Each structure stands twice: as structure tokens, then as C-alpha cells.
Amino acid sequence: MPGGVRGLTGTTAMIAVCALGLAGCGDGDSGTEGAAKPPVAATTTAQSGSPAPEPSATTRTPTPTPTPTPTPVTLSDHTGGRVGTAVAAAQKAGLGYTVRLEGTGREASSWGAGEKVCEQTDASDGVTFTVARDGRDCGGRLLHTPKPTPTPQPARTRDTGGTGGGGTAGCELTSPAGNCYADGQFCAAKHRGLSTHGRGGEYLTCSLDSGGRWRWSDGVAG
């Protein structure tokens, strides 16, 4: 017993001990219920609502690598030049090439080296040269104007003056004397290179003969 309750016995001693807080006391008379209870061990229980641990500051999300965009091949512009030169330049640069027909989108089966390059297009898989179609220019227009439909000439009118007369009916050109020309006759200087109907209805042209003189001739020897 502690020194302050020494000499006390029984119930009196127990009351004294309780008063000093040296031991636990129960409500009953039994001395065992008033005995001090062992301390309860403290337990730590993780609560379900506890925040998740934060990631380490050294952990980083990897950045996705962007997909590279194909870069078009580059070749000096040969538009307006010869396709043979353009093809040779592509081959020298180790580039693939295609020759297409203007306005069709079709690949040309053949082409002349001197043909003009209408357009050049560079792409990632090679270079395309466009040439004109046969008989057309780079704009698709015809290179030559179609020949006009010939107009029938009126029927010849024979000279009613006969071979011995000087009538001028049907003669487009006449001599200085006003008569129709005849085959083999000398022609005036102003009529050189021209044609007309003669006095007999034949078609004459003023041309140089074998002697270098200008004469009317129907083109028939003799």
C-alpha cells in the first residue's frame, strides 16, 4: 500500500486507494471488478476515403511522336521546256517520273523528246510531266484550222467570138488591145503570174517559158 493508506484494512483501505487514483474501482462489492483494465492497443485502420498517393514528381507521361508528313520531291521547273530534257533531269536526280496527256489524265504510251512540257507536278512519289495530245496545244485547242469546204466554181462560158474573133465573153483578163488572150501569146507585165480563160475557153496562166519569156499557157505541151 502507499504510504498514505498504510495501516488501513478492508473496505476503508480500498476507498482510500480509489480516492488516490492509484487503482480502478468498480460499483460492486467484488474486488475483481474494480481491478485496472489493461490498455487497449491502438490500431490504425486505413479509411476507404483516404486520398490516393500522389505520383512522384519525376514520373512524366510520354509525349506521342508525331507522324512525319511526306515531303514532295523537288525538281527544277521544266514547264515550257522539252520533255526529253525534263525526263533526263528526273533520272539524273534519281526520281520517279510519269508523262501524261493533257486533259485526259492518262499516261502517255510514247512521246517525242522535243515535245513541250505543258505542266509539271511534284509529289512525294515522283514528278509528273504533262504533254499535249496529238494535233492539239497545251490548252487542248487544235493546232491547225480545218480547211474550208471548197465552193464549186461556176461553169465556164466559152468565147462566142470563136478562135478567129476577138470577143471577150468569158475572158477575165484581156490584152492591151482589149482582146482575149490565146495560148502561147505574150502576156502584159501586169498579168505575170495570173490566170484567165482564153479566147477558146481554155484556162491560161501567164508563166515563163523555156526561153525565159512570159507567155500564156494552158499547161499542155505543144
Side-chain angles (χ1 to χ4, degrees):
M1 289 289 180
V5 295
R6 187 175 299 170
L8 299 179
T9 62
T11 302
T12 304
M14 181 63 68
I15 293 173
V17 170
C18 290
L20 293 175
L22 298 178
C25 302
D27 294 333
D29 294 335
S30 174
T32 59
E33 292 182 329
K37 296 181 180 181
V40 178
T43 59
T44 302
T45 303
Q47 300 180 2
S48 61
S50 301
E54 296 182 358
S56 173
T58 59
T59 303
R60 296 183 180 178
T61 303
T63 302
T65 303
T67 303
T69 302
T71 304
V73 298
T74 55
L75 184 69
S76 58
D77 191 8
H78 290 272
T79 301
R82 297 188 303 171
V83 68
T85 303
V87 167
Q91 292 175 333
K92 183 177 181 180
L95 302 175
Y97 66 89
T98 304
V99 180
R100 298 189 179 276
L101 295 176
E102 180 276 329
T104 65
R106 300 195 311 268
E107 186 173 349
S109 58
S110 62
W111 61 86
E115 290 188 50
K116 177 181 177 181
V117 178
C118 298
E119 184 181 3
Q120 175 179 322
T121 305
D122 297 334
S124 59
D125 57 348
V127 60
T128 299
F129 305 112
T130 302
V131 297
R133 291 171 283 167
D134 290 342
R136 297 180 181 270
D137 61 11
C138 288
R141 296 176 293 269
L142 291 171
L143 293 176
H144 304 287
T145 303
K147 294 182 180 180
T149 303
T151 303
Q153 296 183 356
R156 297 179 181 179
T157 303
R158 294 183 64 86
D159 182 10
T160 56
T163 57
T168 60
C171 301
E172 296 85 356
L173 302 177
T174 58
S175 67
N179 300 318
C180 291
Y181 284 111
D183 185 23
Q185 185 178 354
F186 291 106
C187 44
K190 64 180 180 179
H191 292 156
R192 292 176 179 176
L194 302 180
S195 300
T196 183
H197 288 92
R199 64 180 64 177
E202 67 273 32
Y203 193 69
L204 305 174
T205 300
C206 180
S207 58
L208 288 171
D209 62 7
S210 59
R213 291 167 295 186
W214 291 92
R215 292 178 181 271
W216 291 102
S217 172
D218 60 358
V220 179

